[in-house]
Amino acid sequence: MEIYDAYDVGTVRALEERAFDTVGADALMQRAAHALALAVAREAVSLCGGVYGSTIIILVGPGNNGGDALFAGARLARRGARVTAVRCLGTPHARGLAALRAAGGRLIDLDDLGLDPAARIQQRPAADIVVDGVLGIGGRPGLPEPVALLARACRDWLVTTIAVDLPSGVAADTGAVAGDAFAATRTVTFGVAKPCHLIEPARGRCGEIEVVDIGLDPAPSEDDRAGSGSGRWLRQVQTDQLAAYLPYPDAGSDKYARGVVGIDTGSDTYPGAGVLSTYGAVHSGAGMVRYLGADVPRALIRERLPNVVFSPGRVQAHLVGSGWGDRPDGAAVLARLLGDGLPTVVDADGLGHLPARVPATWLLTPHAGELARLLGEDRSWVTEDPVRAVRAGVEKTGATVLLKGATQLVCTPDQPWIDVALPGPAWTAQAGSGDVLAGICATLLAAGVRTPRAAAAAASLQAYAAHRNPGPVPPQRLAELMPAAIARLQSRRTRQLDEIRRSEWTG
């Protein structure tokens, strides 16, 4: 499913406290257990033909996640499943364990599974489904070794694993994974999504994500969001939103209405960046592209893209920095563009020449290493908490920042949330993808799309096109496939508007 909003642990705690006062803690746990039992039952029907006779192992720790899992296990045991709870950490939830035992389930210790640390592959127990209820949103990344061994074994067994709220071993707020963590086939999370459901590498451990309503307010107040002090309110771009974000020409559009992009990228040493960024701009719909960069990429572009103009003139957005290498006049170029007052994309080598402060209409497009250099931090400081890092980039520069990577985040001074682009396939992690993306960003800016929306839409569009064309498609070819992706999204948008008009007409 597509997740819209995700909130940090502090906000979720505030929502839970409010629900405790109105609904009650016991009622919330029973609602969570009911939803979890339904999810497990669906898997049992798919795998075993029904719940009756299926074998389910429930892994529990000392917290409420373990309680949710135990109560769910009791419901499944009453329907004829053979349910065994495994004590992995601490003391299990007392009432949940009592309910499981009353329904015919049993409790064993982790040691009773007979896992051998020296074995390359563990002997698989007789289990159709494993339920991971070891740790919840308060857990830290990583697992103690006996539990980590079990997590590795579950992956080796290829057993269907359902995580309660999140896979144990991942960090709820940052998406970090340290060492081994459980890898779920499906994650059932309660009330609202958490950042780990959107941010890699945790996102990849979640499998299919199911957000179930247990009575938490799905729209937290500003006080709830501010209460945690972390600013970790994430908004996932959805495909319908992407279709609405893109600018489409009409019968009255000319090349200036569609937008003119001025590009100064590449160098005689790194000509490919100039070619690829221009490909991105041309194939994402720019009305005109003026290439104003170095001679070698200019000659290559002239051969491949005869519609590109090579003389200075009117532009509506700038793109600079990709493939500059060691450019002595880089700071002067950016200072001149700052005086133009136009939206500007600064990529790659251009980031090393930034003025102290730039407007929010400027878009910086660093990967983790580039953002780390900009902030004077180690790369690991960025990767272990990308939300913190992208906010720090905005605070330092004043710009809108698109942090590229497996999860692409857009942060701007003008909105309290962080946009999360549509996820793309891992094949897009290749040299040149960022250059193409920078060109797409500049095209949307030139067409008048606001900077944060342009960044989120550009990253999402590239991911959407990659999903439509799976496999190791090189970035220049993916750029060439962009028009078909845009046409598909335009058709989707037309259908959306037709449905709205029909609804208004009949309503």
Side-chain angles (χ1 to χ4, degrees), residues 232-253:
R232 296 174 190 276
W233 172 17
L234 306 182
R235 283 198 154 172
Q236 169 78 67
V237 175
Q238 300 183 56
T239 307
D240 283 345
Q241 287 178 310
L242 173 59
Y245 286 173
L246 295 179
Y248 307 109
D250 57 29
S253 298

Side-chain angles (χ1 to χ4, degrees), residues 10-167:
T11 300
V12 173
R13 296 290 193 211
L15 295 178
E16 290 175 342
E17 288 296 326
R18 184 189 304 163
F20 291 161
D21 294 337
T22 58
V23 177
D26 289 344
L28 284 183
M29 180 167 284
Q30 292 305 321
R31 291 175 182 179
H34 175 70
L36 178 61
L38 286 178
V40 177
R42 288 194 297 271
E43 294 290 344
V45 169
S46 175
L47 293 169
C48 310
V51 175
Y52 188 88
S54 62
T55 302
I56 298 167
I57 289 180
I58 294 177
L59 311 177
V60 297
N64 287 338
N65 267 40
D68 297 337
L70 289 166
F71 278 118
R75 291 170 183 263
L76 295 163
R78 288 196 293 270
R79 293 180 59 181
R82 295 188 291 270
V83 181
T84 299
V86 179
R87 178 171 31 218
C88 296
L89 292 172
T91 302
H93 189 277
R95 288 185 297 107
L97 179 57
L100 176 66
R101 283 173 163 159
R106 64 183 184 128
L107 176 71
I108 65 173
D109 288 322
L110 180 54
D111 290 345
D112 295 330
L113 290 178
L115 300 180
D116 179 4
R120 189 173 65 86
I121 296 179
Q122 306 295 330
Q123 182 177 355
R124 175 173 172 166
D128 299 309
I129 299 169
V130 170
V131 177
D132 166 24
V134 180
L135 295 174
I137 58 176
R140 297 180 178 180
L143 295 167
E145 182 48 40
V147 185
L149 176 61
L150 176 58
R152 292 194 297 272
C154 286
R155 293 200 301 273
D156 290 342
W157 296 331
L158 301 179
V159 63
T160 295
T161 302
I162 297 181
V164 183
D165 229 5
L166 48 76

Side-chain angles (χ1 to χ4, degrees), residues 132-342:
D132 166 24
V134 180
L135 295 174
I137 58 176
R140 297 180 178 180
L143 295 167
E145 182 48 40
V147 185
L149 176 61
L150 176 58
R152 292 194 297 272
C154 286
R155 293 200 301 273
D156 290 342
W157 296 331
L158 301 179
V159 63
T160 295
T161 302
I162 297 181
V164 183
D165 229 5
L166 48 76
S168 298
V170 311
D173 274 352
T174 67
V177 177
D180 285 292
F182 282 90
T185 310
R186 175 178 297 274
T187 294
V188 180
T189 193
F190 308 118
V192 295
K194 289 77 181 176
C196 63
H197 300 133
L198 298 179
I199 300 174
E200 295 290 357
R203 171 64 186 88
R205 302 296 184 102
C206 292
E208 294 294 321
I209 298 170
E210 182 178 348
V211 183
V212 296
D213 180 15
I214 60 169
L216 304 187
D217 185 347
S221 68
E222 292 298 330
D223 288 341
D224 292 330
R225 296 179 186 124
S228 68
S230 65
R232 296 174 190 276
W233 172 17
L234 306 182
R235 283 198 154 172
Q236 169 78 67
V237 175
Q238 300 183 56
T239 307
D240 283 345
Q241 287 178 310
L242 173 59
Y245 286 173
L246 295 179
Y248 307 109
D250 57 29
S253 298
D254 59 16
K255 60 189 176 186
Y256 295 105
R258 288 176 60 179
V260 182
V261 180
I263 297 180
D264 183 354
T265 59
S267 61
D268 293 347
T269 305
Y270 304 107
V275 176
L276 291 169
S277 57
T278 306
Y279 260 68
V282 167
H283 290 290
S284 58
M288 181 193 298
V289 175
R290 295 184 185 275
Y291 182 77
L292 307 171
D295 291 338
V296 173
R298 183 183 299 245
L300 295 172
I301 293 166
R302 184 176 282 112
E303 291 176 4
R304 292 162 173 77
L305 298 168
N307 56 321
V308 173
V309 176
F310 297 95
S311 60
R314 174 186 173 185
V315 301
Q316 288 145 287
H318 296 286
L319 165 58
V320 296
S322 312
W324 268 5
D326 184 12
R327 182 156 173 173
D329 66 340
V333 171
L334 267 63
R336 184 180 72 250
L337 297 182
L338 189 60
D340 287 350
L342 293 175

